[in-house]
Amino acid sequence: MTAAASSRLRRPGLGTPVIIVGALLLVAVCLFPFVWMGLSSIKQLNELYTIPPRWWPDNPTLANYYKVLFQSRIPRYFLNSVIISVGSTGLALILAIFAANGFARFRFRGRSFWQAFILVGQLLPTAAIIVPLFITLKVLGLVNTYWGLILVYMIITLPLSVWMLTSYFKAIPIELEEAAIIDGASRVGILFRITLPLSMPGIVAVLVYAFITTWNEFIFALCFATDSTVKTLPIGLAEFSTEFNTDWGAIMAASMVMTIPIALLFLVFQKLFVGGLTAGATKG
Amino acid sequence: MRSNAGFVFVLPALIVLFMLIAYPVAYTGVLSVTNEQGQFTGLQNFADVLRPRVTTQALWNTLWWVGGSIVFQVILGVAAAILLNQNFVGRAIVRSIALIPWVIPGIVAATTWAWMFHTEFGIINHMLTGVGALDEPIGWLTRGNTVLPAMIAINVWKLFPFVAIMVLAGLQSIPQELYEAARVDGASYWDEVRHIMLPQIRPVITAVTLLLVIWALNSITIIYAITKGGPANRTLITPIQIFRLAFENVEFNQAAALSVMFFGIVMIIVFIYIRALANQPGDNQ
């Protein structure tokens, strides 16, 4: 049979119809909620509340966006979210760079123990430590401050950042650093002049990961930021759905405002982001 | 290079994590055996928190929530990964799109799906009655027997892309020789899936499942934002119960006692899993 000969040349696979149907189904399932969110956000009230629901708005409107951007606290929460996410991403990156350098380039007593300790942080049930964290932050006067949330977010960003960067640093040939040592460079000098420039993809992956996780975080923000001067967007959105209980158009517009920055950030950097994440997972 | 310089580099991160993890964990232990005045009360808080029927109910709900979420996340994630491992035009775009549910905030997923599940104006009821799958609209989020499955569906939608991307990375690292050897033996595509792909990605699936268990146990967002644990505690899972005990009833000590038990159970699961993970390489049957 000719099939035997051609299978050497061509890998067998799923049939083309299966691939087409599967891919369309996958795209539809993943995108439909966003399409519906977008459509709902430009509908007027009377078009939102019709039975049966209507697919396309007859009179598209931007009134819902106007309400979100000019008549609610969402812009302020957006600012808070940016400050807290940038702050905790920066802090996590600095701490992770030094820690990953230590883990990747040195042998010291208890190294594997401390590496495991850092990873356990990623596996911790957050609900179990909310109460003592709250009390600790209260004693330190950090409840309802930017610093409180920035610090607490180290729990969710630092472990994976250290893990990802360690695997990136390990991949850099050690000969480069040895040559620099012979030339009299210091350890910190090597880190900043050789290791970091060579691991930019890893750095970007860590930045995007940390930013997305902190931008999306809900529970810690709900517990530790109850004042509107520090509330973040996720809390704002939850509040919004209680406050404007029946105004689903405005709620969907607020959801769009919150989704677009993070979706753009992800789509721009997705190759580096996914590469860094899967590298950390499959090598780790 | 052997020196203590390495520890100096690692120290700042360790101090921060120690302060934020080790200390709170220890402090939870102290809170769980004392009362509001800080006097030692033995196991009183544990007894108080275990007495109401709602605690047992929350535990069962948690088991359903975690189990239901993970089974479907893994099945759909592996299926999507096998699909995305094929070469076809537009694969890169499909892969990017498939990841979006995982990247967007949990609260956005919660509100959008709550609107889609809306009894009268929701698109889901409209579509299901339209094709004749339902005779009349269902109150998905208000009926006791549909609300937890609806929550699980949202969680599955949110996280199966993560499984897909991890399993896809595993599939792409399978050595080409394995496929070639199978093809010499005349294996069909489904033989390859069963005898090469699935066994080779088992370690990835095990590792990802551990993460999914932890995330499901931590994920308060979707349920809290939509039902806050209702109706009639049908979606109350233990993490939400802890949260409500602490911040709505202001029973910090009872919440701490529940936290200790929850923490213990989670750590046992993690331990069993890590053991299973460590034993895995080598047993290729």
Side-chain angles (χ1 to χ4, degrees):
Chain A
M1 282 225 309
T2 50
S6 70
S7 76
R8 289 254 175 93
L9 304 170
R10 200 167 57 89
R11 256 182 76 175
L14 295 166
T16 315
V18 179
I19 292 180
I20 293 177
V21 171
L24 286 179
L25 201 66
L26 187 61
V27 169
V29 165
C30 292
L31 274 193
F32 182 76
F34 300 102
V35 174
W36 194 240
M37 183 203 291
L39 286 176
S40 302
S41 72
I42 52 168
K43 281 180 187 168
Q44 291 173 349
L45 275 186
N46 57 355
E47 284 188 324
L48 282 167
Y49 301 112
T50 52
I51 302 173
R54 251 182 242 167
W55 285 96
W56 297 102
D58 289 332
N59 304 303
T61 170
L62 289 178
N64 293 319
Y65 288 93
Y66 184 83
K67 189 182 282 171
V68 167
L69 294 177
F70 299 105
Q71 294 169 345
S72 77
R73 289 180 163 278
I74 293 286
R76 173 65 204 242
Y77 296 162
F78 196 99
L79 179 71
N80 293 340
S81 266
V82 170
I83 293 174
I84 290 170
S85 286
V86 169
S88 55
T89 303
L91 187 58
L93 184 69
I94 293 169
L95 291 172
I97 284 175
F98 284 106
N101 189 50
F103 283 133
R105 284 291 180 252
F106 296 88
R107 267 185 244 117
F108 53 90
R109 276 184 61 183
R111 181 178 70 165
S112 33
F113 172 79
W114 292 119
Q115 234 176 328
F117 170 78
I118 283 190
L119 200 65
V120 164
Q122 192 73 27
L123 305 178
L124 210 65
T126 26
I129 55 169
I130 285 178
V131 175
L133 266 182
F134 180 75
I135 298 175
T136 313
L137 287 182
K138 212 168 169 187
V139 170
L140 295 173
L142 290 174
V143 173
N144 281 328
T145 62
Y146 288 139
W147 271 110
L149 272 187
I150 289 175
L151 267 180
V152 163
Y153 283 166
M154 291 304 111
I155 298 177
I156 51 174
T157 54
L158 200 46
L160 206 64
S161 303
V162 173
W163 209 254
M164 278 160 73
L165 277 187
T166 305
S167 68
Y168 266 96
F169 287 1
K170 271 185 181 160
I172 297 172
I174 200 154
E175 291 76 23
L176 285 174
E177 301 186 12
E178 283 166 353
I181 289 179
I182 293 169
D183 291 346
S186 70
R187 302 266 19 151
V188 178
I190 293 171
L191 174 60
F192 281 97
R193 283 200 224 115
I194 297 175
T195 316
L196 284 192
L198 285 173
S199 36
M200 272 330 270
I203 306 269
V204 175
V206 166
L207 281 178
V208 176
Y209 162 77
F211 191 87
I212 291 180
T213 356
T214 49
W215 181 268
N216 294 352
E217 205 284 330
F218 182 73
I219 295 307
F220 285 149
L222 185 66
C223 300
F224 308 141
T226 47
D227 192 87
S228 65
T229 52
V230 288
K231 270 185 193 167
T232 57
L233 264 183
I235 309 307
L237 185 61
E239 199 176 70
F240 208 69
S241 19
T242 336
E243 189 181 339
F244 296 83
N245 204 337
T246 49
D247 195 349
W248 281 99
I251 296 170
M252 289 300 109
S255 300
M256 286 294 278
V257 169
M258 202 174 153
T259 306
I260 286 169
I262 215 72
L264 286 181
L265 185 72
F266 169 72
L267 289 176
V268 170
F269 290 110
Q270 64 130 342
K271 214 172 167 191
L272 284 172
F273 179 53
V274 170
L277 205 71
T278 49
T282 48
K283 284 176 205 155
Chain B
M1 279 167 256
R2 177 181 287 277
S3 78
N4 276 328
F7 193 65
V8 176
F9 277 110
V10 175
L11 199 57
L14 286 181
I15 291 173
V16 168
L17 284 180
F18 208 80
M19 201 177 78
L20 292 170
I21 293 173
Y23 174 71
V25 167
Y27 194 43
T28 315
V30 174
L31 280 176
S32 71
V33 290
T34 53
N35 64 10
E36 278 149 59
Q37 283 75 43
Q39 290 153 330
F40 181 74
T41 55
L43 297 177
Q44 189 60 42
N45 292 317
F46 291 85
D48 286 343
V49 80
L50 283 175
R51 201 176 307 118
R53 213 180 62 82
V54 64
T55 308
T56 335
Q57 195 189 352
L59 190 67
W60 279 114
N61 288 341
T62 311
L63 284 178
W64 276 109
W65 162 252
V66 174
S69 298
I70 282 160
V71 168
F72 291 106
Q73 282 160 355
V74 170
I75 293 175
L76 287 176
V78 171
I82 288 177
L83 177 75
L84 291 172
N85 195 36
Q86 294 284 310
N87 277 317
F88 58 89
V89 182
R91 179 173 75 155
I93 298 169
V94 174
R95 195 178 50 193
S96 308
I97 288 175
L99 271 175
I100 294 182
W102 174 54
V103 179
I104 56 122
I107 183 78
V108 168
T111 46
T112 309
W113 279 93
W115 171 231
M116 288 176 17
F117 272 123
H118 197 283
T119 312
E120 290 99 33
F121 312 115
I123 194 70
I124 290 177
N125 272 334
H126 176 53
M127 288 194 293
L128 289 179
T129 48
V131 298
L134 288 179
D135 293 333
E136 52 185 39
I138 284 187
W140 295 100
L141 304 179
T142 48
R143 267 174 45 168
N145 55 353
T146 55
V147 62
L148 191 56
M151 297 296 137
I152 291 174
I154 303 173
N155 197 32
V156 169
W157 176 83
K158 182 91 176 62
L159 285 181
F160 87 88
F162 172 76
V163 182
I165 205 68
M166 288 299 178
V167 171
L168 182 61
L171 284 176
Q172 287 174 345
S173 67
I174 295 177
Q176 202 58 40
E177 296 83 60
L178 284 179
Y179 291 114
E180 281 161 13
R183 246 162 268 154
V184 169
D185 294 343
S188 74
Y189 182 69
W190 290 112
D191 290 333
E192 285 186 8
V193 170
R194 273 189 51 209
H195 298 296
I196 299 177
M197 295 188 196
L198 291 183
Q200 288 285 321
I201 55 173
R202 231 181 66 188
V204 180
I205 294 181
T206 317
V208 166
T209 310
L210 172 62
L211 266 184
L212 290 176
V213 172
I214 303 295
W215 285 348
L217 286 169
N218 277 340
S219 61
I220 307 181
T221 312
I222 292 173
I223 296 184
Y224 189 82
I226 299 179
T227 65
K228 290 202 161 57
N233 294 333
R234 288 304 281 266
T235 56
L236 187 75
I237 56 173
T238 305
I240 293 186
Q241 196 193 357
I242 294 175
F243 176 83
R244 283 171 52 168
L245 263 178
F247 294 95
E248 286 174 20
N249 306 358
V250 205
E251 291 280 4
F252 278 0
N253 301 88
Q254 283 190 28
L258 191 55
S259 300
V260 168
M261 289 184 277
F262 183 60
F263 189 81
I265 294 174
V266 173
M267 282 299 134
I268 291 170
I269 297 173
V270 170
F271 183 74
I272 293 172
Y273 236 102
I274 289 178
R275 285 289 296 273
L277 211 63
N279 285 338
Q280 234 181 21
D283 75 11
N284 281 334
Q285 289 162 10

